Amino acid sequence: MKLWLFFTLALLWLEVQNGVCQQVKRKKEAGENRIRPGRKRVKVRYPKVKEKEAGSKGQSILTQVLDKGRFLRLGESLSLNPGRAMELRCKGTNIGWAYPFYLDTFNDNRLSIKQHERYSQLILTSPSAADTGEYSCWVVLCDGEECTKDGESTSATYIYFTDKDELFVPSAIHFEIIYLRPDKPATVPCRVTNPKINVSLHREVPAEEIAVDGIQVSYNPMKGFIIQNPSPEHKGAYYCKANSTTKTTPQISTKYQLLYVEVPSGPPLVTIEASSNIASGGDIFNVTCTVLGEPEMNVSFSWSYPGQGQRPVSIHDSWRLINRGVGHTTRISQSVMIVDDVETIDYGKYICTTKNKHGQTLVATTVKSHE
């Protein structure tokens, strides 16, 4: 009996030892101390993005100062009541501004701009409907004495000063000429002071309202009526009509004269001609330099001639608009040199140099002695 009990206890002791050894061995196996998937959720931490990288790119640097130290970051457009001073701020240590051009043209003292340490401040006192337009600012980058506009740090907002009595943005011009070209859209600039105003375009003769289809003719309250593909059929006298929400009588805009132009852009197209290419002593002759070009294209003239610096001559420059072809409007610019009481020194080559913003052209003619 004692022998059987001894063997039983011995077998039990061996089993316990085997179990302990297996547990120790399992603890030493690689990977057994890792947390098994699914037993515990681990929160993933993503690296933080700097505030400048997250939101500054493409964000407006232009703000409006409101009451009680509040600021409004400006978007594409803003509507304000006239009469109350407007303050805009643009973030940066060196800022450039743009605003309706007439504020500079008339040296308007209602406008003031001041650069502070971290921002630039624009204040417009007593704004009116005439101040409606685009206000923009940008960061100026300087390398020594050379400064450039930072295109990536630019903001612009079109501001309407909504005046119930002035539906159209007032203009100092009461009759404006608009040139129509076949190669680019034309704009009839009857802008309004409130983007919600209904506006229509009218031709005087024959009297008719122009259909606005959004393709050939469209309307943008910030620009006016846009004619996409101008043709000779669009020339004539026009006006815009705005319907007020508070008054029954519509308001009429400035009148516009649309002229069709078909002159190629480029350096001046010049001709030169002498009243006579053969002259005798004591005669009078003139040399005329003529340029045909775009109606609003300024042309400058300069001369080189045989008696230059030694002989007195008179030079007269002029320009006017003329009709060429079927309703085509062209600008003719001329410079006329008059040589009086011809002497031997006056014989030779007369050179006319013409310049416009596209380049320059030289032409020449020769005046010889009759003998």
Side-chain angles (χ1 to χ4, degrees), residues 224-296:
F225 285 95
I226 301 170
I227 303 174
Q228 202 63 31
N229 299 297
S231 67
E233 288 73 23
H234 291 115
K235 64 186 180 66
Y238 290 77
Y239 63 90
C240 299
K241 184 188 291 185
N243 295 313
S244 172
T245 57
T246 58
K247 299 180 180 180
T248 56
T249 304
Q251 198 170 103
I252 304 300
S253 73
T254 294
K255 290 189 177 181
Y256 304 94
Q257 183 69 40
L258 275 59
L259 302 177
Y260 188 74
V261 178
E262 200 168 43
V263 179
S265 296
L269 299 172
V270 197
T271 58
I272 189 170
E273 184 180 11
S275 58
S276 176
N277 290 104
I278 299 176
S280 301
D283 287 350
I284 298 175
F285 70 85
N286 62 64
V287 183
T288 302
C289 194
T290 303
V291 175
L292 296 178
E294 299 175 82
E296 72 275 40

Side-chain angles (χ1 to χ4, degrees), residues 121-133:
Q121 177 188 51
L122 181 149
I123 296 178
L124 180 62
T125 60
S126 302
S128 66
D131 299 315
T132 295

